[in-house]
Amino acid sequence: MLKYVNTGVVFQEIPDEVTLAINIANCPCRCPGCHSPYLWDDIGIPLDATAIDEFVHRFSSDITCIALMGGDADPMGVDLLAQYIHEEYPLLKVAWYSGRLRVPPQVTKTDFDYIKIGPYIRHLGPLNLPTTNQRMYRKCIDGTFEDITYRFWKNEKLASM
């Protein structure tokens, strides 16, 4: 069962989207240097269709995307929530932040509009550094995915202007 600990409306997790980020507990990845080690524990409130409905009722006029931040202990549960969101709220996009190296085979990638994969590896840095091993993908119209990780990197030429 998926459980969430907290949420936040964020602007940097998914490019061009106002995102409700839902932090999911019981992370099995346990990356050294993780910025949210409290999410390693099996704590929180059940994350199911009812919780999604409550979030959408509360935030729908403010958000364009729901990001499921974690859920690697139950990837099929994450996929089912993505399907539910798309069916019930077709105007919202769905993102998944996974700490795994690749999307598990039992998950249908096209149920998501965005997928971030890759464990945090301290010496490679987070998603906003060009040295990162993590990758953010956006679903294209034809169902393929394009790597948009570069969208998180600062353009040093623009920053110096």
Side-chain angles (χ1 to χ4, degrees):
M1 170 201 302
L2 294 171
K3 294 179 188 175
Y4 74 97
V5 176
N6 53 24
T7 65
V9 175
V10 297
F11 303 96
Q12 295 182 341
E13 300 296 343
I14 307 296
D16 305 320
E17 305 292 344
V18 179
T19 304
L20 175 65
I22 303 172
N23 290 312
I24 301 173
N26 201 21
C27 181
C29 299
R30 292 171 165 46
C31 302
C34 173
H35 64 74
S36 303
Y38 67 95
L39 295 175
W40 297 356
D41 297 327
D42 186 9
I43 58 175
I45 302 163
L47 180 59
D48 54 17
T50 300
I52 295 295
D53 292 341
E54 290 172 5
F55 292 140
V56 172
H57 177 73
R58 189 174 342 147
F59 298 108
S60 66
S61 62
D62 298 327
I63 62 172
T64 60
C65 181
I66 294 177
L68 304 168
M69 310 295 282
D72 288 301
D74 184 5
M76 289 183 65
V78 172
D79 195 21
L80 289 171
L81 280 179
Q83 292 171 19
Y84 177 79
I85 295 165
H86 276 288
E87 289 169 11
E88 295 298 318
Y89 308 102
L91 297 180
L92 289 175
K93 295 186 178 138
V94 181
W96 182 24
Y97 264 55
S98 171
R100 299 293 187 187
L101 291 173
R102 53 189 60 82
V103 177
Q106 66 269 33
V107 170
T108 304
K109 288 192 303 189
T110 54
D111 289 337
F112 300 90
D113 299 289
Y114 298 91
I115 300 175
K116 192 281 303 177
I117 56 171
Y120 174 73
I121 299 175
R122 186 178 299 157
H123 73 276
L124 297 177
L127 199 56
N128 65 350
L129 293 180
T131 55
T132 188
N133 62 296
Q134 299 175 319
R135 291 289 174 262
M136 172 65 78
Y137 295 94
R138 176 178 56 202
K139 184 170 67 172
C140 300
I141 293 171
D142 66 359
T144 61
F145 282 81
E146 68 174 319
D147 186 337
I148 62 165
T149 310
Y150 69 92
R151 300 273 318 268
F152 292 88
W153 304 336
K154 291 181 180 174
N155 184 329
E156 293 187 23
K157 287 183 183 179
L158 291 177
S160 65
M161 296 176 105

